[in-house]
Amino acid sequence: MAHFKHYINGEWVDSESSIDVIDPATETVVGSIALADIKEVDLAVKSARECVTRGDLSMPRPAERVEYLLKVVGELEKLKDEGAKLLVAENGKTTAQAVDEFDNAIRYFRYYAGMADKIEGRSIPLGEDYIDFTMYEPLGVSAQIVPWNFPVDLCARSLAPALAAGNAVVIKSPELTPLAMTFIAQACHNAGLPNGAVNMICGYGSTAGAALVEHHDIDQIVFTGSVATGQSILRAAAQRAVPCVMELGGKSAAVVFPDADLDAFINDVDWGIFFNAGQVCSAMSRLIVHESIHDELLQRVIKLAKSQTFGHGSEPSTTLTPLASAHQRDAVLAYCQRSLEQGASLATGGTAIGESGYFVAPTVLDKVSPDSDVFKQEVFGPVLAVTTFNDEAQAWQLANATNFGLVNGIFTRDLNVAMRGAKALRCGQVFINEWYAGGVETPFGGVGLSGYGREKGQEALYNYVRTKNVAIKLQN
Ligand code: NAD
Protein backbone atom coordinates (compact mmCIF):
# COMPACT_ATOMS: atom_id res chain seq x y z
CA MET A 1 0.00 0.00 0.00
CA ALA A 2 1.49 3.32 -1.07
CA HIS A 3 2.23 5.96 1.54
CA PHE A 4 2.30 9.66 0.59
CA LYS A 5 3.91 12.61 2.35
CA HIS A 6 3.67 16.38 2.64
CA TYR A 7 5.68 18.51 0.26
CA ILE A 8 7.41 21.30 2.19
CA ASN A 9 10.35 23.47 1.13
CA GLY A 10 11.15 21.26 -1.84
CA GLU A 11 11.20 18.01 0.19
CA TRP A 12 8.83 15.16 0.95
CA VAL A 13 8.16 15.21 4.69
CA ASP A 14 6.43 12.55 6.81
CA SER A 15 4.44 13.02 10.03
CA GLU A 16 3.96 10.88 13.10
CA SER A 17 0.33 10.28 12.22
CA SER A 18 -1.29 9.36 8.93
CA ILE A 19 -4.73 8.63 7.53
CA ASP A 20 -5.96 5.90 5.26
CA VAL A 21 -7.68 6.96 2.07
CA ILE A 22 -10.70 4.86 1.08
CA ASP A 23 -11.98 3.85 -2.36
CA PRO A 24 -15.64 4.98 -2.20
CA ALA A 25 -16.72 2.31 -4.69
CA THR A 26 -15.28 -0.65 -2.74
CA GLU A 27 -14.74 0.76 0.77
CA THR A 28 -11.17 -0.62 0.70
CA VAL A 29 -7.99 1.26 1.54
CA VAL A 30 -6.22 2.87 -1.43
CA GLY A 31 -3.20 4.24 0.39
CA SER A 32 -2.19 6.40 3.31
CA ILE A 33 -0.91 9.93 3.68
CA ALA A 34 0.89 11.87 6.39
CA LEU A 35 -1.42 13.95 8.54
CA ALA A 36 -0.37 17.52 9.27
CA ASP A 37 -0.80 19.32 12.54
CA ILE A 38 0.25 22.80 13.64
CA LYS A 39 3.93 21.86 13.33
CA GLU A 40 3.71 21.04 9.61
CA VAL A 41 1.50 24.07 8.96
CA ASP A 42 4.18 26.28 10.54
CA LEU A 43 6.93 24.65 8.49
CA ALA A 44 4.98 25.06 5.25
CA VAL A 45 4.14 28.74 5.89
CA LYS A 46 7.77 29.45 6.95
CA SER A 47 9.06 27.87 3.75
CA ALA A 48 6.63 29.89 1.62
CA ARG A 49 7.51 33.09 3.47
CA GLU A 50 11.24 32.52 2.91
CA CYS A 51 10.58 32.04 -0.81
CA VAL A 52 8.65 35.33 -0.85
CA THR A 53 11.36 37.16 1.11
CA ARG A 54 14.08 35.90 -1.23
CA GLY A 55 11.92 37.07 -4.13
CA ASP A 56 12.52 33.81 -5.98
CA LEU A 57 9.43 34.22 -8.14
CA SER A 58 8.81 37.97 -7.90
CA MET A 59 12.24 39.42 -8.63
CA PRO A 60 13.33 37.76 -11.89
CA ARG A 61 11.83 38.88 -15.17
CA PRO A 62 8.29 37.52 -15.47
CA ALA A 63 9.36 35.50 -18.50
CA GLU A 64 11.04 33.11 -16.05
CA ARG A 65 7.68 32.38 -14.45
CA VAL A 66 6.29 31.61 -17.89
CA GLU A 67 9.02 29.02 -18.29
CA TYR A 68 8.40 27.50 -14.85
CA LEU A 69 4.69 27.08 -15.53
CA LEU A 70 5.30 25.58 -18.96
CA LYS A 71 7.71 23.10 -17.37
CA VAL A 72 4.96 22.12 -14.90
CA VAL A 73 2.72 21.49 -17.93
CA GLY A 74 5.33 19.11 -19.37
CA GLU A 75 5.81 17.30 -16.06
CA LEU A 76 2.08 16.91 -15.48
CA GLU A 77 1.71 15.43 -18.97
CA LYS A 78 4.16 12.71 -17.94
CA LEU A 79 2.45 12.02 -14.60
CA LYS A 80 -1.20 12.27 -15.62
CA ASP A 81 -1.97 8.62 -16.46
CA GLU A 82 -0.59 7.36 -13.17
CA GLY A 83 -2.20 10.23 -11.29
CA ALA A 84 -5.57 9.62 -12.93
CA LYS A 85 -5.55 5.96 -11.78
CA LEU A 86 -5.11 7.15 -8.23
CA LEU A 87 -7.87 9.72 -8.65
CA VAL A 88 -10.26 7.00 -9.84
CA ALA A 89 -9.42 4.91 -6.78
CA GLU A 90 -9.66 7.61 -4.12
CA ASN A 91 -12.52 9.64 -5.58
CA GLY A 92 -14.61 7.08 -7.48
CA LYS A 93 -14.50 8.99 -10.78
CA THR A 94 -14.45 7.19 -14.10
CA THR A 95 -11.08 6.87 -15.79
CA ALA A 96 -12.12 9.28 -18.55
CA GLN A 97 -13.22 11.86 -15.99
CA ALA A 98 -10.02 11.51 -13.99
CA VAL A 99 -7.87 11.95 -17.11
CA ASP A 100 -10.02 14.92 -18.01
CA GLU A 101 -9.41 16.41 -14.60
CA PHE A 102 -5.63 16.18 -15.08
CA ASP A 103 -6.02 17.65 -18.58
CA ASN A 104 -7.90 20.57 -17.07
CA ALA A 105 -5.17 21.06 -14.48
CA ILE A 106 -2.63 21.12 -17.31
CA ARG A 107 -4.77 23.64 -19.13
CA TYR A 108 -4.71 25.99 -16.10
CA PHE A 109 -0.91 25.95 -16.00
CA ARG A 110 -0.69 26.56 -19.74
CA TYR A 111 -3.29 29.34 -19.66
CA TYR A 112 -1.70 31.25 -16.77
CA ALA A 113 1.79 30.69 -18.20
CA GLY A 114 0.52 32.81 -21.08
CA MET A 115 -0.42 35.61 -18.66
CA ALA A 116 2.55 35.56 -16.29
CA ASP A 117 4.47 38.14 -18.34
CA LYS A 118 1.45 40.33 -19.08
CA ILE A 119 0.55 41.61 -15.62
CA GLU A 120 0.90 45.27 -16.47
CA GLY A 121 -0.04 48.44 -14.63
CA ARG A 122 -1.33 51.60 -16.27
CA SER A 123 -0.49 55.26 -16.24
CA ILE A 124 -3.02 57.77 -14.97
CA PRO A 125 -2.97 61.34 -16.35
CA LEU A 126 -2.85 63.94 -13.56
CA GLY A 127 -1.85 67.00 -15.57
CA GLU A 128 1.45 68.49 -16.64
CA ASP A 129 3.17 68.42 -13.22
CA TYR A 130 2.64 64.76 -12.33
CA ILE A 131 3.37 61.27 -13.47
CA ASP A 132 1.24 58.56 -11.96
CA PHE A 133 1.25 54.84 -12.53
CA THR A 134 0.04 51.62 -10.98
CA MET A 135 1.93 48.41 -10.53
CA TYR A 136 0.73 44.98 -9.49
CA GLU A 137 2.59 43.24 -6.68
CA PRO A 138 2.11 39.63 -5.62
CA LEU A 139 0.32 39.27 -2.30
CA GLY A 140 2.98 37.03 -0.76
CA VAL A 141 1.96 33.75 0.90
CA SER A 142 -1.29 32.38 -0.53
CA ALA A 143 -3.02 29.75 1.66
CA GLN A 144 -5.26 27.55 -0.48
CA ILE A 145 -7.81 25.06 0.83
CA VAL A 146 -9.15 22.49 -1.61
CA PRO A 147 -12.29 20.28 -1.43
CA TRP A 148 -12.56 16.60 -2.38
CA ASN A 149 -14.84 16.68 -5.42
CA PHE A 150 -12.30 17.87 -8.06
CA PRO A 151 -9.08 17.96 -6.05
CA VAL A 152 -6.63 18.03 -8.96
CA ASP A 153 -8.56 20.50 -11.09
CA LEU A 154 -9.34 22.87 -8.21
CA CYS A 155 -5.79 22.74 -6.85
CA ALA A 156 -4.44 23.82 -10.26
CA ARG A 157 -7.19 26.42 -10.67
CA SER A 158 -5.80 28.51 -7.79
CA LEU A 159 -2.16 27.41 -7.77
CA ALA A 160 -1.37 28.27 -11.40
CA PRO A 161 -2.52 31.94 -11.30
CA ALA A 162 -0.97 32.43 -7.84
CA LEU A 163 2.43 31.28 -9.15
CA ALA A 164 1.97 33.22 -12.40
CA ALA A 165 1.61 36.38 -10.31
CA GLY A 166 4.74 35.56 -8.26
CA ASN A 167 3.28 34.31 -4.97
CA ALA A 168 4.37 31.34 -2.88
CA VAL A 169 1.62 28.90 -1.97
CA VAL A 170 0.64 26.59 0.88
CA ILE A 171 -2.05 24.13 -0.18
CA LYS A 172 -4.09 22.07 2.26
CA SER A 173 -5.42 19.04 0.46
CA PRO A 174 -8.78 17.47 1.38
CA GLU A 175 -8.54 14.60 3.83
CA LEU A 176 -10.86 12.36 1.73
CA THR A 177 -8.97 12.65 -1.59
CA PRO A 178 -5.42 13.94 -1.06
CA LEU A 179 -3.38 11.42 -3.05
CA ALA A 180 -3.66 12.36 -6.74
CA MET A 181 -3.08 15.99 -5.83
CA THR A 182 0.45 15.12 -4.71
CA PHE A 183 1.22 14.64 -8.42
CA ILE A 184 0.84 18.38 -8.87
CA ALA A 185 3.44 18.97 -6.14
CA GLN A 186 5.63 16.34 -7.82
CA ALA A 187 5.27 18.09 -11.18
CA CYS A 188 6.25 21.44 -9.60
CA HIS A 189 9.24 19.72 -7.98
CA ASN A 190 10.33 18.09 -11.25
CA ALA A 191 9.90 21.42 -13.04
CA GLY A 192 12.52 22.90 -10.71
CA LEU A 193 10.36 25.52 -9.03
CA PRO A 194 12.25 27.29 -6.21
CA ASN A 195 12.02 25.66 -2.79
CA GLY A 196 9.02 26.95 -0.89
CA ALA A 197 7.15 28.23 -3.96
CA VAL A 198 4.73 25.31 -3.61
CA ASN A 199 4.00 23.52 -0.35
CA MET A 200 1.29 20.87 0.00
CA ILE A 201 0.12 19.43 3.28
CA CYS A 202 -2.75 17.10 4.08
CA GLY A 203 -4.69 17.37 7.31
CA TYR A 204 -8.13 17.61 8.82
CA GLY A 205 -9.99 20.85 8.35
CA SER A 206 -10.56 21.40 12.06
CA THR A 207 -6.84 21.10 12.87
CA ALA A 208 -4.48 21.75 9.95
CA GLY A 209 -7.04 23.76 7.95
CA ALA A 210 -7.92 25.97 10.92
CA ALA A 211 -4.25 26.42 11.85
CA LEU A 212 -3.43 27.50 8.31
CA VAL A 213 -6.19 30.09 8.00
CA GLU A 214 -5.40 31.47 11.47
CA HIS A 215 -1.65 31.61 10.80
CA HIS A 216 -0.14 35.05 11.44
CA ASP A 217 2.10 34.91 8.38
CA ILE A 218 -0.27 34.28 5.47
CA ASP A 219 -1.31 37.07 3.10
CA GLN A 220 -4.35 35.53 1.44
CA ILE A 221 -6.85 32.70 1.78
CA VAL A 222 -8.35 30.98 -1.25
CA PHE A 223 -11.09 28.64 -0.14
CA THR A 224 -13.20 26.28 -2.20
CA GLY A 225 -15.71 24.27 -0.19
CA SER A 226 -18.91 24.42 1.78
CA VAL A 227 -20.70 27.51 3.03
CA ALA A 228 -20.34 26.64 6.72
CA THR A 229 -16.58 26.17 6.44
CA GLY A 230 -16.27 29.32 4.35
CA GLN A 231 -18.08 31.31 7.01
CA SER A 232 -15.81 29.97 9.74
CA ILE A 233 -12.74 30.83 7.64
CA LEU A 234 -14.07 34.34 7.06
CA ARG A 235 -14.37 34.82 10.80
CA ALA A 236 -10.74 33.72 11.25
CA ALA A 237 -9.59 35.94 8.37
CA ALA A 238 -11.33 38.94 9.89
CA GLN A 239 -8.91 38.91 12.84
CA ARG A 240 -6.05 40.07 10.59
CA ALA A 241 -8.13 41.42 7.69
CA VAL A 242 -6.66 38.76 5.40
CA PRO A 243 -8.16 39.00 1.89
CA CYS A 244 -10.14 35.93 0.83
CA VAL A 245 -11.48 34.34 -2.31
CA MET A 246 -14.57 32.29 -1.46
CA GLU A 247 -15.80 29.66 -3.90
CA LEU A 248 -18.70 28.05 -2.09
CA GLY A 249 -21.72 25.96 -2.97
CA GLY A 250 -24.57 26.32 -5.40
CA LYS A 251 -28.21 25.48 -6.10
CA SER A 252 -28.23 26.04 -9.81
CA ALA A 253 -31.31 25.86 -12.01
CA ALA A 254 -31.88 24.96 -15.65
CA VAL A 255 -34.83 26.98 -16.92
CA VAL A 256 -36.39 25.16 -19.88
CA PHE A 257 -38.82 26.89 -22.25
CA PRO A 258 -41.24 25.09 -24.60
CA ASP A 259 -39.14 25.87 -27.69
CA ALA A 260 -35.97 24.29 -26.25
CA ASP A 261 -34.20 21.48 -28.11
CA LEU A 262 -35.14 18.68 -25.72
CA ASP A 263 -32.98 16.05 -27.46
CA ALA A 264 -29.92 18.19 -26.78
CA PHE A 265 -31.14 19.12 -23.31
CA ILE A 266 -31.25 15.49 -22.14
CA ASN A 267 -27.50 15.35 -22.68
CA ASP A 268 -27.20 18.48 -20.53
CA VAL A 269 -29.15 16.78 -17.73
CA ASP A 270 -26.82 13.80 -17.97
CA TRP A 271 -23.77 16.00 -17.47
CA GLY A 272 -25.52 18.49 -15.28
CA ILE A 273 -26.64 16.24 -12.45
CA PHE A 274 -25.38 12.68 -12.93
CA PHE A 275 -21.74 13.51 -13.80
CA ASN A 276 -19.51 12.96 -10.72
CA ALA A 277 -22.69 11.72 -9.00
CA GLY A 278 -23.90 15.31 -8.76
CA GLN A 279 -20.99 16.29 -6.52
CA VAL A 280 -20.31 19.44 -8.47
CA CYS A 281 -20.71 22.95 -7.06
CA SER A 282 -22.31 24.06 -10.34
CA ALA A 283 -24.47 20.94 -10.76
CA MET A 284 -27.89 21.30 -12.37
CA SER A 285 -29.68 20.49 -9.16
CA ARG A 286 -32.97 22.15 -10.12
CA LEU A 287 -35.01 21.81 -13.29
CA ILE A 288 -37.51 24.65 -13.73
CA VAL A 289 -39.61 23.63 -16.69
CA HIS A 290 -42.53 25.26 -18.48
CA GLU A 291 -45.72 23.48 -17.47
CA SER A 292 -46.63 22.73 -21.12
CA ILE A 293 -43.61 20.40 -21.58
CA HIS A 294 -43.33 19.13 -18.01
CA ASP A 295 -44.83 15.68 -18.57
CA GLU A 296 -42.80 14.89 -21.67
CA LEU A 297 -39.53 16.13 -20.18
CA LEU A 298 -40.12 14.36 -16.89
CA GLN A 299 -40.55 11.01 -18.69
CA ARG A 300 -37.33 11.59 -20.63
CA VAL A 301 -35.39 12.53 -17.50
CA ILE A 302 -36.68 9.44 -15.65
CA LYS A 303 -35.59 7.27 -18.58
CA LEU A 304 -32.14 8.89 -18.49
CA ALA A 305 -31.85 8.32 -14.73
CA LYS A 306 -32.80 4.67 -15.08
CA SER A 307 -30.28 4.15 -17.88
CA GLN A 308 -27.29 4.97 -15.64
CA THR A 309 -24.93 2.11 -14.84
CA PHE A 310 -23.30 2.31 -11.46
CA GLY A 311 -19.94 0.72 -10.77
CA HIS A 312 -16.25 1.22 -10.19
CA GLY A 313 -14.77 4.12 -12.09
CA SER A 314 -12.23 1.85 -13.77
CA GLU A 315 -15.02 -0.17 -15.45
CA PRO A 316 -15.71 1.19 -18.95
CA SER A 317 -19.46 0.60 -18.54
CA THR A 318 -19.75 2.85 -15.45
CA THR A 319 -21.67 6.08 -15.85
CA LEU A 320 -22.77 6.62 -12.24
CA THR A 321 -19.99 6.81 -9.69
CA PRO A 322 -20.25 6.67 -5.89
CA LEU A 323 -20.54 9.52 -3.45
CA ALA A 324 -17.33 10.42 -1.67
CA SER A 325 -18.16 8.92 1.73
CA ALA A 326 -20.81 7.15 3.76
CA HIS A 327 -21.52 10.48 5.45
CA GLN A 328 -22.14 12.16 2.10
CA ARG A 329 -24.38 9.30 0.92
CA ASP A 330 -26.46 9.42 4.12
CA ALA A 331 -26.83 13.20 3.90
CA VAL A 332 -28.11 12.91 0.32
CA LEU A 333 -30.60 10.19 1.26
CA ALA A 334 -31.83 12.29 4.18
CA TYR A 335 -32.51 15.19 1.77
CA CYS A 336 -34.55 12.85 -0.46
CA GLN A 337 -36.57 11.60 2.49
CA ARG A 338 -37.20 15.11 3.79
CA SER A 339 -38.31 16.34 0.37
CA LEU A 340 -41.04 13.70 0.32
CA GLU A 341 -42.20 14.81 3.76
CA GLN A 342 -42.26 18.37 2.38
CA GLY A 343 -44.58 17.46 -0.50
CA ALA A 344 -42.37 16.34 -3.41
CA SER A 345 -43.17 13.17 -5.29
CA LEU A 346 -40.51 10.57 -6.00
CA ALA A 347 -40.27 9.98 -9.75
CA THR A 348 -37.32 7.59 -9.47
CA GLY A 349 -34.39 6.75 -7.17
CA GLY A 350 -34.14 8.00 -3.61
CA THR A 351 -32.32 4.94 -2.26
CA ALA A 352 -28.81 3.61 -1.72
CA ILE A 353 -27.70 1.00 -4.25
CA GLY A 354 -24.95 -1.61 -4.48
CA GLU A 355 -23.63 -4.18 -2.02
CA SER A 356 -20.59 -2.09 -1.24
CA GLY A 357 -19.60 1.48 -1.95
CA TYR A 358 -21.43 4.73 -1.32
CA PHE A 359 -23.80 4.71 -4.31
CA VAL A 360 -27.10 6.55 -4.48
CA ALA A 361 -29.60 5.76 -7.24
CA PRO A 362 -30.06 8.58 -9.76
CA THR A 363 -32.96 10.47 -8.28
CA VAL A 364 -35.67 12.66 -9.76
CA LEU A 365 -38.03 14.50 -7.43
CA ASP A 366 -41.11 16.02 -9.01
CA LYS A 367 -43.52 18.71 -7.77
CA VAL A 368 -40.78 20.23 -5.62
CA SER A 369 -42.07 23.25 -3.74
CA PRO A 370 -39.96 26.43 -3.69
CA ASP A 371 -40.34 26.36 0.10
CA SER A 372 -38.77 22.94 0.52
CA ASP A 373 -35.19 22.23 1.60
CA VAL A 374 -34.33 20.33 -1.57
CA PHE A 375 -35.23 23.42 -3.62
CA LYS A 376 -33.17 25.81 -1.53
CA GLN A 377 -30.23 23.85 -0.11
CA GLU A 378 -27.27 22.18 -1.74
CA VAL A 379 -27.72 18.38 -1.79
CA PHE A 380 -24.45 17.45 -3.52
CA GLY A 381 -25.65 14.18 -4.98
CA PRO A 382 -27.36 12.79 -8.12
CA VAL A 383 -30.68 14.38 -7.19
CA LEU A 384 -32.71 16.54 -9.60
CA ALA A 385 -35.53 18.68 -8.18
CA VAL A 386 -38.26 19.46 -10.74
CA THR A 387 -40.57 22.50 -10.47
CA THR A 388 -42.84 24.08 -13.11
CA PHE A 389 -43.37 27.68 -14.21
CA ASN A 390 -46.06 29.25 -16.37
CA ASP A 391 -44.58 32.56 -17.46
CA GLU A 392 -41.16 34.04 -18.00
CA ALA A 393 -41.17 36.35 -14.98
CA GLN A 394 -42.05 33.43 -12.73
CA ALA A 395 -39.20 31.38 -14.23
CA TRP A 396 -36.57 33.97 -13.26
CA GLN A 397 -38.19 34.50 -9.88
CA LEU A 398 -38.04 30.76 -9.11
CA ALA A 399 -34.45 30.43 -10.33
CA ASN A 400 -33.44 33.31 -8.05
CA ALA A 401 -35.36 32.02 -5.03
CA THR A 402 -32.36 30.62 -3.14
CA ASN A 403 -29.54 32.26 -1.17
CA PHE A 404 -27.01 30.81 -3.62
CA GLY A 405 -26.02 32.29 -6.97
CA LEU A 406 -23.28 30.31 -8.68
CA VAL A 407 -24.59 29.41 -12.16
CA ASN A 408 -27.94 29.03 -13.92
CA GLY A 409 -28.90 27.77 -17.37
CA ILE A 410 -31.48 28.90 -19.93
CA PHE A 411 -32.73 26.58 -22.64
CA THR A 412 -34.63 28.25 -25.48
CA ARG A 413 -34.23 29.12 -29.15
CA ASP A 414 -35.47 32.66 -28.48
CA LEU A 415 -32.51 35.01 -28.13
CA ASN A 416 -34.63 37.71 -26.52
CA VAL A 417 -35.82 35.39 -23.77
CA ALA A 418 -32.28 34.12 -23.24
CA MET A 419 -30.85 37.63 -22.99
CA ARG A 420 -33.59 38.85 -20.66
CA GLY A 421 -32.80 35.83 -18.46
CA ALA A 422 -29.06 36.46 -18.59
CA LYS A 423 -29.76 39.89 -17.11
CA ALA A 424 -32.41 38.78 -14.62
CA LEU A 425 -30.61 35.80 -13.09
CA ARG A 426 -28.69 36.52 -9.91
CA CYS A 427 -25.55 34.43 -10.33
CA GLY A 428 -21.94 34.53 -11.50
CA GLN A 429 -22.37 32.62 -14.76
CA VAL A 430 -25.27 31.90 -17.11
CA PHE A 431 -25.19 28.92 -19.47
CA ILE A 432 -27.36 29.27 -22.54
CA ASN A 433 -28.28 26.05 -24.36
CA GLU A 434 -25.41 24.06 -22.90
CA TRP A 435 -24.76 23.20 -19.28
CA TYR A 436 -21.07 23.67 -18.40
CA ALA A 437 -20.49 25.80 -21.50
CA GLY A 438 -17.37 27.86 -20.80
CA GLY A 439 -13.96 26.70 -19.67
CA VAL A 440 -10.66 27.66 -18.15
CA GLU A 441 -10.91 31.03 -19.93
CA THR A 442 -14.29 32.06 -18.47
CA PRO A 443 -14.56 33.74 -15.05
CA PHE A 444 -16.37 31.64 -12.50
CA GLY A 445 -17.66 32.48 -9.05
CA GLY A 446 -20.68 33.29 -7.01
CA VAL A 447 -23.17 35.75 -5.66
CA GLY A 448 -24.68 35.52 -2.16
CA LEU A 449 -23.88 32.30 -0.31
CA SER A 450 -22.00 30.99 -3.35
CA GLY A 451 -19.17 33.29 -2.33
CA TYR A 452 -17.18 36.05 -3.98
CA GLY A 453 -14.10 36.59 -6.08
CA ARG A 454 -13.70 35.00 -9.50
CA GLU A 455 -11.59 32.01 -10.40
CA LYS A 456 -10.66 31.07 -13.98
CA GLY A 457 -10.09 33.43 -16.87
CA GLN A 458 -8.11 36.65 -16.80
CA GLU A 459 -10.10 37.93 -13.81
CA ALA A 460 -8.64 35.26 -11.55
CA LEU A 461 -5.11 36.50 -11.96
CA TYR A 462 -6.07 39.73 -10.20
CA ASN A 463 -7.05 37.79 -7.07
CA TYR A 464 -3.35 37.18 -6.58
CA VAL A 465 -1.96 40.70 -6.84
CA ARG A 466 -2.49 44.00 -5.09
CA THR A 467 -2.43 47.34 -6.82
CA LYS A 468 0.15 49.91 -5.77
CA ASN A 469 -0.09 53.45 -7.07
CA VAL A 470 2.99 55.63 -7.49
CA ALA A 471 2.21 59.35 -7.71
CA ILE A 472 5.14 61.60 -8.71
CA LYS A 473 5.27 65.40 -8.54
CA LEU A 474 7.75 66.69 -11.07
CA GLN A 475 10.16 69.38 -9.82
CA ASN A 476 11.84 72.12 -11.81
P1 NAD B 1 -15.76 21.39 3.20
O1 NAD B 1 -16.06 22.81 3.47
O2 NAD B 1 -16.20 20.39 4.16
O3 NAD B 1 -14.18 21.18 3.06
C1 NAD B 1 -13.42 21.88 2.13
C2 NAD B 1 -12.01 21.98 2.63
O4 NAD B 1 -12.00 22.79 3.80
C3 NAD B 1 -11.37 20.66 3.02
O5 NAD B 1 -10.02 20.67 2.63
C4 NAD B 1 -11.48 20.69 4.55
O6 NAD B 1 -10.49 19.93 5.19
C5 NAD B 1 -11.28 22.15 4.83
N1 NAD B 1 -11.80 22.62 6.12
C6 NAD B 1 -12.84 22.12 6.83
N2 NAD B 1 -13.02 22.83 7.98
C7 NAD B 1 -12.07 23.80 7.96
C8 NAD B 1 -11.75 24.86 8.86
N3 NAD B 1 -12.42 25.08 9.98
N4 NAD B 1 -10.73 25.67 8.54
C9 NAD B 1 -10.04 25.49 7.39
N5 NAD B 1 -10.29 24.51 6.51
C10 NAD B 1 -11.30 23.67 6.80
O7 NAD B 1 -16.30 21.13 1.73
P2 NAD B 1 -16.31 19.73 0.96
O8 NAD B 1 -17.41 18.92 1.54
O9 NAD B 1 -14.93 19.19 0.92
O10 NAD B 1 -16.67 20.21 -0.52
C11 NAD B 1 -17.94 20.31 -0.98
C12 NAD B 1 -18.36 21.77 -1.02
O11 NAD B 1 -17.46 22.51 -1.84
C13 NAD B 1 -19.71 21.96 -1.64
O12 NAD B 1 -20.44 22.89 -0.91
C14 NAD B 1 -19.38 22.51 -3.03
O13 NAD B 1 -20.41 23.25 -3.61
C15 NAD B 1 -18.19 23.32 -2.75
N6 NAD B 1 -17.41 23.55 -3.99
C16 NAD B 1 -17.41 24.79 -4.54
C17 NAD B 1 -16.73 25.02 -5.73
C18 NAD B 1 -16.69 26.38 -6.36
O14 NAD B 1 -15.83 26.63 -7.20
N7 NAD B 1 -17.61 27.29 -6.03
C19 NAD B 1 -16.05 23.97 -6.34
C20 NAD B 1 -16.09 22.72 -5.74
C21 NAD B 1 -16.76 22.52 -4.55
Side-chain angles (χ1 to χ4, degrees):
M1 192 181 76
H3 178 68
F4 294 78
K5 298 176 184 172
H6 313 295
Y7 182 66
I8 301 174
N9 203 27
E11 291 179 355
W12 294 99
V13 179
D14 214 348
S15 293
E16 278 164 24
S17 30
S18 65
I19 42 169
D20 287 342
V21 175
I22 307 295
D23 182 332
T26 60
E27 301 179 47
T28 57
V29 177
V30 177
S32 64
I33 188 163
L35 197 55
D37 212 327
I38 293 173
K39 185 179 103 189
E40 289 84 357
V41 171
D42 271 340
L43 284 175
V45 174
K46 182 166 176 278
S47 134
R49 174 57 62 199
E50 285 172 359
C51 178
V52 168
T53 305
R54 290 192 304 269
D56 289 348
L57 287 179
S58 60
M59 288 191 185
R61 286 182 84 122
E64 286 195 22
R65 296 201 297 269
V66 174
E67 293 308 317
Y68 277 135
L69 294 191
L70 289 177
K71 280 187 192 151
V72 175
V73 167
E75 295 301 325
L76 271 175
E77 291 280 9
K78 291 184 215 159
L79 294 172
K80 82 171 178 188
D81 289 339
E82 201 189 333
K85 274 190 203 142
L86 207 49
L87 188 56
V88 169
E90 67 177 336
N91 196 295
K93 286 172 197 291
T94 66
T95 302
Q97 287 164 8
V99 170
D100 214 45
E101 192 167 330
F102 268 89
D103 281 338
N104 237 18
I106 290 167
R107 181 88 184 92
Y108 282 117
F109 279 95
R110 204 188 290 282
Y111 181 82
Y112 289 108
M115 289 189 73
D117 56 354
K118 299 173 192 69
I119 308 173
E120 297 165 351
R122 64 195 174 105
S123 68
I124 300 169
L126 287 181
E128 189 58 20
D129 294 336
Y130 295 88
I131 292 180
D132 188 288
F133 61 91
T134 60
M135 29 187 213
Y136 290 117
E137 298 177 334
L139 297 175
V141 176
S142 172
Q144 307 191 345
I145 300 198
V146 178
W148 46 259
N149 58 340
F150 291 92
V152 172
D153 179 315
L154 298 178
C155 173
R157 184 174 84 173
S158 307
L159 175 60
L163 293 174
N167 298 277
V169 182
V170 178
I171 303 151
K172 195 206 74 72
S173 56
E175 52 271 45
L176 281 179
T177 61
L179 305 185
M181 260 176 74
T182 61
F183 283 63
I184 294 188
Q186 184 70 57
C188 293
H189 182 82
N190 297 353
L193 260 75
N195 288 348
V198 176
N199 304 273
M200 189 181 288
I201 54 177
C202 178
Y204 291 121
S206 55
T207 51
L212 179 58
V213 298
E214 288 165 12
H215 201 285
H216 67 277
D217 210 16
I218 58 166
D219 299 302
Q220 178 194 37
I221 299 168
V222 181
F223 174 70
T224 308
S226 63
V227 174
T229 307
Q231 289 167 330
S232 116
I233 290 175
L234 283 170
R235 284 190 285 273
Q239 302 308 310
R240 290 181 46 250
V242 175
C244 296
V245 176
M246 287 279 139
E247 294 283 2
L248 309 177
K251 191 72 216 181
S252 306
V255 180
V256 186
F257 287 85
D259 64 346
D261 178 346
L262 295 190
D263 292 338
F265 180 68
I266 284 298
N267 189 43
D268 290 291
V269 178
D270 200 7
W271 277 103
I273 191 66
F274 299 135
F275 161 61
N276 214 39
Q279 301 167 115
V280 185
C281 52
S282 47
M284 183 200 290
S285 52
R286 291 181 297 152
L287 170 54
I288 298 178
V289 55
H290 191 267
E291 57 192 10
S292 65
I293 53 166
H294 165 269
D295 293 356
E296 180 193 349
L297 190 54
L298 182 67
Q299 289 316 311
R300 293 176 77 158
V301 170
I302 292 171
K303 191 172 161 205
L304 172 73
K306 288 185 171 165
S307 74
Q308 303 290 324
T309 311
F310 75 92
H312 197 273
S314 59
E315 295 292 331
S317 58
T318 297
T319 58
L320 183 84
T321 51
L323 298 193
S325 63
H327 171 80
Q328 190 66 20
R329 174 199 58 200
D330 295 345
V332 169
L333 292 174
Y335 265 114
C336 295
Q337 183 55 38
R338 199 151 66 245
S339 75
L340 303 184
E341 289 156 16
Q342 293 177 340
S345 82
L346 183 65
T348 185
T351 56
I353 44 174
E355 304 212 326
S356 64
Y358 313 127
F359 294 93
V360 169
T363 301
V364 181
L365 299 164
D366 192 24
K367 301 189 175 62
V368 171
S369 154
D371 298 325
S372 63
D373 291 352
V374 79
F375 188 90
K376 292 198 272 197
Q377 295 172 15
E378 187 178 45
V379 174
F380 229 54
V383 179
L384 183 67
V386 181
T387 307
T388 56
F389 71 92
N390 54 36
D391 67 32
E392 190 186 315
Q394 189 194 17
W396 312 141
Q397 184 265 323
L398 283 169
N400 286 339
T402 79
N403 292 325
F404 291 103
L406 196 53
V407 307
N408 283 298
I410 304 169
F411 294 82
T412 175
R413 290 185 167 92
D414 186 330
L415 190 61
N416 293 303
V417 171
M419 287 300 102
R420 281 198 295 270
K423 290 185 180 184
L425 292 172
R426 182 179 161 275
C427 56
Q429 189 170 33
V430 178
F431 301 137
I432 294 175
N433 290 333
E434 187 185 83
W435 201 262
Y436 298 136
V440 165
E441 306 86 344
T442 51
F444 177 82
V447 174
L449 283 187
S450 292
Y452 55 81
R454 293 292 176 267
E455 291 282 34
K456 302 165 68 168
Q458 294 188 30
E459 265 85 350
L461 198 66
Y462 297 93
N463 288 330
Y464 299 96
V465 290
R466 65 171 76 87
T467 306
K468 182 178 272 177
N469 181 258
V470 180
I472 305 163
K473 167 84 169 70
L474 298 180
Q475 294 181 327
N476 292 323

